[in-house]
Amino acid sequence: MPKGPEKNTKNKALHTKLLNRKKAKLQEEKKEKALRLKALVAKINQQKNTDESDNK
C-alpha cells in the first residue's frame, strides 16, 4: 500500500527559519526602541533636576 507523496519538509524548514528570523528582528527592534526611550526619559529627568536645583 503506497504511503502517498513525500512531505515537503525542505520548504517547511525554510519557512520556519524565515519566520524565526522575522520574530527575532522584531524583538530586537522592540528592545532597541525601549532602550532609546529609557535613555531619553533619563536625560529629560536629569534636565528637570538640574533646572530645579538652578531655581532654588
Side-chain angles (χ1 to χ4, degrees):
M1 191 161 168
K3 291 186 176 183
E6 291 183 15
K7 293 195 176 193
N8 191 356
T9 55
K10 184 178 178 186
N11 281 346
K12 223 176 193 182
L14 287 174
H15 184 68
T16 303
K17 184 178 176 182
L18 288 173
L19 285 181
N20 287 340
R21 242 193 253 170
K22 183 179 178 182
K23 285 181 190 175
K25 183 180 178 183
L26 289 175
Q27 284 182 342
E28 189 65 31
E29 288 175 353
K30 191 175 180 181
K31 285 180 185 178
E32 287 175 4
K33 185 176 180 183
L35 286 174
R36 282 196 307 268
L37 282 174
K38 201 178 275 190
L40 187 63
V41 167
K43 184 179 177 184
I44 290 173
N45 285 339
Q46 188 179 18
Q47 286 177 349
K48 281 184 182 179
N49 289 340
T50 56
D51 289 344
E52 287 177 4
S53 64
D54 289 343
N55 290 336
K56 288 184 178 182

